[in-house]
Amino acid sequence: MDFSKFSYKKDDSEQEPKTSICYQENEEQTDAEDRQTDVGHSEANNAITPSNLSPNYQKGDSFREPSLFFIISGGEKRERDFLKELINDTESTALKALFLSKKGQGLDPNQMQKEWQKIRKEGKFIINDQTYYLEKIDEVFLLSDVDDFYAKLQVILSSKSNDDTGRWIISNPCFEIWLYYCYKNDPNNDLNCITSLSPNQRSKILKQRCNEVVKGGLNGIRAFGYMNNGIKNSKEHYAADDNGIPVLFATQMHEMAQCIIDKLK
């Protein structure tokens, strides 16, 4: 896929240099990944790991082809970190995640929609020189922040055809609200400082604030182990407006997380 014409630069406090697209790479740990995130003793006991997710989630089992999740992501860093367990595990017999974004930049909703519609038309896509066909893909998710993309998302959702199997997973204002719910559950107090800000300011300040209220910062890799917390907390605060777009502090990530857990049972 040719992303050479894409020029969208995502406003992220963790800037990364522009490089060519890379779907799998050896990533060094960031400072945030090196820090320990304190989520409490009771929550730690409920952490999701391959060993307690499912007896079928075992390396080396050749009797079952993994389910395939195809994810087109607006963000590149935190979203990939959260799914790293599934992206990098080449031997899982339960679930495999295929991740598409643009390294260091991400994709805006229109760019995501364009690529997805191209894939729908062709019925296939290529990642790491391997071809995947849509009829063999169990789920297709398109992850987007609201940020200042509300109007674009509204147009895309309103024109979505009945046979379009891509599931938009939208977070307001950004993906980090999902990571917050994996660790904590008091957004109206912890994150109230962003409510008076304009939409294009909220994501940056929320990310900064979350790193203050969550001890150790928003570690996306560790958050994978606390999906049950995230699902419960996200559902508690979920609401959408008349256009089907999540309101502030709401995310649809609990839908994708529940699919992951169900596949790993």
Side-chain angles (χ1 to χ4, degrees):
M1 301 177 188
D2 184 11
F3 289 84
S4 61
K5 297 181 181 180
F6 290 165
S7 60
Y8 168 68
K9 181 64 179 176
K10 190 173 182 62
D11 181 14
D12 197 325
S13 59
E14 297 179 359
Q15 299 271 342
E16 296 183 12
K18 294 183 180 180
T19 60
S20 59
I21 297 175
C22 180
Y23 299 100
Q24 289 183 359
E25 68 279 334
N26 293 324
E27 300 182 57
E28 296 181 358
Q29 282 190 323
T30 65
D31 291 340
E33 291 166 354
D34 288 332
R35 292 179 290 176
Q36 185 73 11
T37 301
D38 183 5
V39 295
H41 178 71
S42 62
E43 293 179 355
N45 290 336
N46 293 323
I48 297 172
T49 65
S51 61
N52 66 23
L53 266 171
S54 166
N56 293 321
Y57 191 81
Q58 298 174 0
K59 295 180 182 292
D61 186 348
S62 60
F63 296 99
R64 176 185 175 187
E65 289 188 7
S67 298
L68 296 176
F69 276 19
F70 178 41
I71 296 129
I72 303 176
S73 177
E76 197 279 331
K77 179 67 172 72
R78 291 278 173 87
E79 291 84 344
R80 180 187 287 276
D81 281 352
F82 178 72
L83 296 164
K84 191 173 184 178
E85 180 79 22
L86 302 178
I87 295 171
N88 292 350
D89 189 350
T90 60
E91 299 179 357
S92 169
T93 62
L95 181 60
K96 174 69 176 177
L98 307 170
F99 189 86
L100 173 63
S101 188
K102 186 173 183 181
K103 185 172 177 61
Q105 289 187 304
L107 302 170
D108 77 18
N110 285 345
Q111 292 167 345
M112 295 167 63
Q113 176 75 343
K114 180 179 179 180
E115 285 304 309
W116 169 230
Q117 296 309 313
K118 177 183 176 183
I119 291 168
R120 285 185 66 212
K121 181 178 180 180
E122 297 177 351
K124 63 182 180 181
F125 58 95
I126 299 173
I127 292 181
N128 291 339
D129 297 324
Q130 184 168 350
T131 300
Y132 297 90
Y133 294 90
L134 290 187
E135 64 265 22
K136 293 185 178 181
I137 301 296
D138 291 80
E139 300 284 351
V140 177
F141 298 101
L142 296 93
L143 274 57
S144 177
D145 298 342
V146 171
D147 280 337
D148 54 351
F149 301 136
Y150 187 96
K152 293 180 180 180
L153 290 168
Q154 181 181 0
V155 171
I156 291 171
L157 294 180
S158 64
S159 60
K160 191 173 186 292
S161 62
N162 292 332
D163 62 345
D164 187 335
T165 58
R167 298 175 58 179
W168 282 87
I169 302 295
I170 302 170
S171 300
N172 193 346
C174 56
F175 181 78
E176 279 75 7
I177 190 64
W178 162 252
L179 299 181
Y180 169 85
Y181 285 136
C182 288
Y183 297 121
K184 298 196 70 178
N185 187 31
D186 193 10
N188 292 325
N189 286 321
D190 289 340
L191 310 176
N192 184 58
C193 61
I194 76 166
T195 57
S196 61
L197 300 178
S198 62
N200 62 348
Q201 295 177 311
R202 286 173 174 170
S203 291
K204 181 178 180 179
I205 302 304
L206 179 136
K207 294 170 187 177
Q208 295 174 354
R209 179 59 180 158
C210 282
N211 283 327
E212 296 171 357
V213 300
V214 178
K215 186 176 181 180
L218 292 181
N219 188 316
I221 296 175
R222 281 178 50 83
F224 182 87
Y226 300 98
M227 277 192 290
N228 282 325
N229 292 336
I231 291 170
K232 175 181 176 294
N233 297 338
S234 176
K235 284 183 174 180
E236 182 178 332
H237 296 280
Y238 183 74
D241 63 19
D242 293 340
N243 294 313
I245 297 176
V247 300
L248 187 62
F249 301 142
T251 174
Q252 295 167 327
M253 267 300 297
H254 58 262
E255 298 177 13
M256 192 178 96
Q258 189 62 59
C259 284
I260 292 173
I261 289 177
D262 290 344
K263 290 290 184 181
L264 293 175
K265 288 181 179 178

